[in-house]
Amino acid sequence: MLPKNSGHLASATLALFTPTINAFWRLECDGSVGLARLDPLMDFDGLSGHVHTIKGGSAFTATSTADDLLNSKCQSCGVAQDKSAYWTPPLYFMADDGTMTVVPEKPPFKAYYELNTGMTSDGKQQTVEAFPKGFQMIAGSNYRRNTSLSGPDPSTYVGPFTDEDNAQREERAIGFNCMNYGHNGSPAKDEPTLYRHSLPEKSWLDSNCPDGLRLELEFPSCWNGNMDGGEQHKSHVAYPNWINGGDCPAGFDRRLPALMYETIVATDSFIGKSGKFVLGNGDPTGYGYHGDFIAAWDDGVLEKAVSQCTDMGGQMRSCGVFELTENSGSCTLENPLPSELKDENTEGPMQGLPGGCEIQSGPEQAKKGKGATGKSSGGKSGSSSPSGSSSSSSSSSSSHDDQKVDKSKGASPAAAPAADVDDKKAEGAVFAQNKKEAANYEAPAAAEPAAPAITSPPAAPVIDAADVVATSYTTDGRIVYENKVVVKEITVTEGGAKAKRTPEAHAENHKRHAHRHHHMKHGIGGRRMQR
């Protein structure tokens, strides 16, 4: 054991470790159950201010709870025992005259369940728990239109981000990654997960991304035990210091699966067409990308999967716990839409975004869509709190402000906007504004990054073979790690005197391969799956 005055050495040693990856699986969803202005978390029992593309259980409505979803007649995802709801704003193409057309998805949508462990703030090892029935959360912020970050991450694993608060980590949990499988003899280019945190300009996408754009969203996995996070549905969770893994902050000692959404959209279908891309919530910057989740797994199934599905290839078919579905892509909403939405055009072409949602480019915070008539469910989870958790869902000992923005960018923080109900009289003005935005909008500098350089993995550190006592290999499905346990003799000083000379083991944990798993059929190594 090291003397107490040698903490600096212990910290340096810990920094060599990357997050522990136990296993993961990809829940694949071949279709959406709907494309509509519904949101049972932020606009409960009303209309949402913007459109969502909805995956999961067919019983999804403006008032859905887990109990409702569990009674779904079908589901659009590949595991029959999962009726959970997964939803995000879609991407639209906005022509120069303000005409909107939804950008098609390239199935399947994937929800990654990553069983990443770490430590509590007081140094205790965590064990991943299944989402309890009715658990709900939101990642990202509908209102964000600027960033406190500078440029893309040089690598997915550049953490830990120990000096960043939860709001900054949330900004890192968004990815807009260029898809280029290689054409006409040119090499394929593969960007790391969560590499770019803003929506690139269309001209850049046209030139660099011949196979579309990958939208990514990582959810927090550190938990305080509450079933829901109040008005914004997020104060009960926090990001670990590596975003998708690592250690948890104080007050969030329990560990959930690290959930990540991945949607590939066909921006390549619009190459050469004059216009812009904008998210369905009126965001042309990408900073306001967000997603919602309600857990609705059959009793005991997710618990078994967390403990038994340890395949590092990520294939849901490799887990014997799951019953796989057929024709999930044909599943649609089973309940009729509200009368106001029955005939609403959400796919386009149409003039302006559905519901009169205004395009708001920032850098100030966006306002809630004028077509919204619902309010936050504020904890209507449809399930009681799990064993060992607090029954309160409206407060947290360590709540987070999802409205935090970078003051240096000229925007000032404010509380989440209240619902601003519009009586539809101003829709013509909104359409006119959309045309103006299409003609005049210039993306923030960070939204049009230079084409990233594709570099080789970093060189392995020089290690004296005589010092190596063990070697092992681990993978998270994306990266293969070679772990060398090295014994070194160190000398520590306490109070000016030399302490006893003791051997201490530490790991030189370095990356052998940095290609991603997202387009691989099996295993590792960077081979893309042909679609």
Side-chain angles (χ1 to χ4, degrees):
M1 183 175 181
L2 293 175
K4 61 182 180 180
N5 285 353
S6 62
H8 63 285
L9 178 60
S11 296
T13 301
L14 289 174
L16 295 172
F17 288 86
T18 57
T20 302
I21 310 296
N22 290 342
F24 74 99
W25 68 83
R26 294 183 290 265
L27 177 73
E28 297 183 356
C29 307
D30 288 334
S32 300
V33 293
L35 185 68
R37 288 193 296 120
L38 297 176
D39 188 340
L41 293 190
M42 291 306 296
D43 291 286
F44 186 83
D45 199 20
L47 307 181
S48 174
H50 60 270
V51 171
H52 296 100
T53 175
I54 306 156
K55 275 79 175 177
S58 61
F60 187 95
T61 67
T63 59
S64 291
T65 66
D67 290 330
D68 298 324
L69 292 167
L70 283 166
N71 289 318
S72 295
K73 295 178 181 178
C74 63
Q75 60 284 316
S76 66
C77 300
V79 175
Q81 304 107 310
D82 179 29
K83 310 294 196 311
S84 302
Y86 312 83
W87 68 102
T88 62
L91 188 69
Y92 285 89
F93 171 69
M94 177 173 63
D96 290 340
D97 65 354
T99 301
M100 298 285 182
T101 306
V102 73
V103 180
E105 294 183 8
K106 296 186 176 184
F109 163 90
K110 301 183 185 73
Y112 288 76
Y113 281 73
E114 301 171 325
L115 309 182
N116 304 343
T117 62
M119 308 292 285
T120 63
S121 60
D122 57 356
K124 297 177 182 178
Q125 181 66 46
Q126 294 175 309
T127 300
V128 177
E129 306 176 44
F131 294 117
K133 185 184 78 169
F135 179 87
Q136 50 195 39
M137 63 177 167
I138 292 176
S141 172
N142 175 44
Y143 311 109
R144 185 180 295 118
R145 294 295 187 273
N146 68 9
T147 182
S148 61
L149 307 177
S150 56
D153 287 339
S155 168
T156 307
Y157 291 89
V158 298
F161 303 102
T162 53
D163 296 329
E164 295 186 353
D165 60 23
N166 194 71
Q168 291 173 300
R169 293 177 185 179
E170 184 179 61
E171 292 183 50
R172 293 189 182 277
I174 295 172
F176 295 92
N177 290 7
C178 178
M179 306 301 294
N180 185 342
Y181 301 140
H183 298 271
N184 301 321
S186 62
K189 297 180 180 180
D190 195 10
E191 295 181 348
T193 301
L194 305 178
Y195 174 78
R196 180 184 293 102
H197 311 303
S198 61
L199 180 61
E201 281 280 14
K202 184 180 183 299
S203 58
W204 189 88
L205 290 170
D206 285 1
S207 299
N208 294 276
C209 311
D211 297 298
L213 184 68
R214 188 172 70 224
L215 280 61
E216 301 165 336
L217 182 66
E218 187 86 34
F219 283 74
S221 56
C222 300
W223 184 34
N224 68 6
N226 288 343
M227 286 293 288
D228 185 53
E231 291 296 310
Q232 299 303 313
H233 302 280
K234 59 176 63 177
S235 64
H236 59 325
V237 288
Y239 285 95
N241 59 3
W242 289 76
I243 313 302
N244 75 329
D247 300 334
C248 289
F252 298 85
D253 292 339
R254 300 172 71 172
R255 197 58 171 259
L256 298 167
L259 184 67
M260 190 185 82
Y261 293 175
E262 177 187 286
T263 309
I264 299 177
V265 291
T267 52
D268 50 302
S269 296
F270 298 88
I271 290 176
K273 297 181 180 180
S274 181
K276 307 276 186 180
F277 289 117
V278 59
L279 291 170
N281 60 338
D283 176 20
T285 71
Y287 301 132
Y289 189 54
H290 59 282
D292 304 53
F293 171 67
I294 298 177
W297 287 76
D298 288 352
D299 287 346
V301 172
L302 188 57
E303 289 79 2
K304 289 181 181 178
V306 166
S307 63
Q308 298 178 25
C309 298
T310 56
D311 174 50
M312 295 305 297
Q315 298 292 315
M316 63 183 183
R317 295 164 182 79
S318 300
C319 179
V321 174
F322 297 148
E323 297 174 7
L324 303 184
T325 61
E326 296 182 2
N327 302 320
S328 61
S330 63
C331 181
T332 59
L333 294 175
E334 63 187 68
N335 296 302
L337 291 172
S339 58
E340 301 93 330
L341 304 182
K342 182 179 178 180
D343 297 318
E344 184 170 71
N345 184 0
T346 56
E347 295 185 3
M350 58 204 168
Q351 187 60 217
L353 290 169
C357 182
E358 296 184 45
I359 296 174
Q360 302 176 72
S361 57
E364 66 277 359
Q365 290 183 86
K367 297 178 181 179
K368 193 166 186 175
K370 290 185 176 182
T373 64
K375 296 182 179 179
S376 172
S377 63
K380 295 179 176 66
S381 63
S383 176
S384 59
S385 297
S387 175
S389 70
S390 168
S391 61
S392 171
S393 62
S394 61
S395 62
S396 167
S397 59
S398 301
S399 63
H400 306 298
D401 180 8
D402 79 316
Q403 304 305 306
K404 181 173 180 179
V405 293
D406 184 10
K407 296 179 182 179
S408 67
K409 300 292 190 299
S412 56
D420 183 7
V421 181
D422 185 56
D423 62 3
K424 308 294 183 181
K425 292 188 297 183
E427 282 195 354
V430 172
F431 295 158
Q433 177 177 329
N434 283 344
K435 293 181 182 180
K436 182 178 179 181
E437 287 280 353
N440 300 329
Y441 170 67
E442 293 184 5
E448 189 178 5
I454 307 300
T455 60
S456 300
V462 178
I463 300 173
D464 190 338
D467 294 331
V468 177
V469 297
T471 302
S472 62
Y473 296 88
T474 59
T475 176
D476 68 353
R478 291 175 284 191
I479 298 176
V480 178
Y481 295 97
E482 182 182 71
N483 309 287
K484 293 182 180 294
V485 179
V486 181
V487 174
K488 292 283 189 182
E489 285 197 341
I490 61 172
T491 302
V492 297
T493 303
E494 184 175 17
K498 286 187 176 181
K500 183 178 179 180
R501 192 176 175 90
T502 59
E504 295 293 331
H506 70 274
E508 296 283 358
N509 194 339
H510 54 87
K511 299 171 188 175
R512 277 297 188 203
H513 207 291
H515 286 298
R516 317 311 302 167
H517 67 233
H518 298 297
H519 308 288
M520 302 174 193
K521 191 171 183 179
H522 296 290
I524 53 180
R527 291 187 297 275
R528 272 158 292 282
M529 180 171 65
Q530 297 301 317
R531 297 185 183 277

